[in-house]
Each structure stands twice: as C-alpha cells, then as structure tokens.
Amino acid sequence: MTKDELKELVLQAYATYNQQLLLVDQKMVFKAWYGLLHDLEYADAQRAFIRLATHEKFMPRPGDVRRATIDDQIKIPPFLDGYSAWGIFQSVFREVS
C-alpha cells in the first residue's frame, strides 16, 4: 500500500465514523497506521475495513484492520459469540449424555 492509499483509507475510516482528525495529529496518525498496514494491499485492507465498519459500533484501530485483512486472506472464519458457543456446547453435551 502506498502512503497516498493509506491516507485515503485513514480519512475514509475517520469519515465513516464521523470522527475529526485534527491537522496537528494527522502526521502521527498516518505514521501509526502506515506502520501496521504498509505491507498489505490497499484493496484488501479497504475491503476488510468496510466489513468491520458494517458490524462494529466503534472505529477499528489499525491492528483490527490488519487482523481482519489477514483473516480474510487465509479464510479464517470469525469466532462465535459467547451465546452461540454456549448453545453449541449444550447441544453437544445433550447428544453425548
């Protein structure tokens, strides 16, 4: 990902979550995001961000975008929430007992 593509992704994230990125903070924010995302393809990271933005109430951090991008690339399914996992456990337990 180029620095211009990263800048576009960061600005998209801030706009999507209606957050203000102050001019004084831009350089540090871009540097932090670039440090975690520079080796990823822009299209993959943007696709992961859009998926996160669809489901998450709070703006994802760059590490969240990185993990989501890599999970998409290696096809790791998302973890179940606690209620679903507990329901599956109870079903299996009843069948075994």
Side-chain angles (χ1 to χ4, degrees):
M1 175 179 326
T2 67
K3 288 185 178 184
D4 288 335
E5 289 171 335
L6 176 96
K7 183 177 179 180
E8 185 176 327
L9 181 63
V10 171
L11 293 176
Q12 178 184 6
Y14 276 79
T16 300
Y17 284 89
N18 198 26
Q19 298 292 316
Q20 185 177 12
L21 180 58
L22 299 174
L23 186 59
V24 72
D25 295 331
Q26 282 184 1
K27 185 176 179 180
M28 187 56 69
V29 170
F30 293 147
K31 186 176 180 179
W33 281 66
Y34 189 77
L36 288 167
L37 303 176
H38 67 89
D39 59 333
L40 302 175
E41 293 293 326
Y42 171 72
D44 295 339
Q46 184 182 35
R47 193 171 23 258
F49 169 74
I50 290 171
R51 186 173 52 76
L52 288 170
T54 304
H55 300 290
E56 301 295 328
K57 291 181 182 180
F58 300 105
M59 187 171 84
R61 297 167 297 184
D64 299 330
V65 175
R66 181 176 187 79
R67 283 187 296 278
T69 303
I70 292 171
D71 288 350
D72 288 348
Q73 290 173 344
I74 59 176
K75 309 292 187 223
I76 291 182
F79 294 108
L80 295 175
D81 63 277
Y83 293 114
S84 300
W86 181 248
I88 291 171
F89 174 77
Q90 287 179 328
S91 298
V92 170
F93 184 77
R94 276 190 229 116
E95 290 177 12
V96 172
S97 303

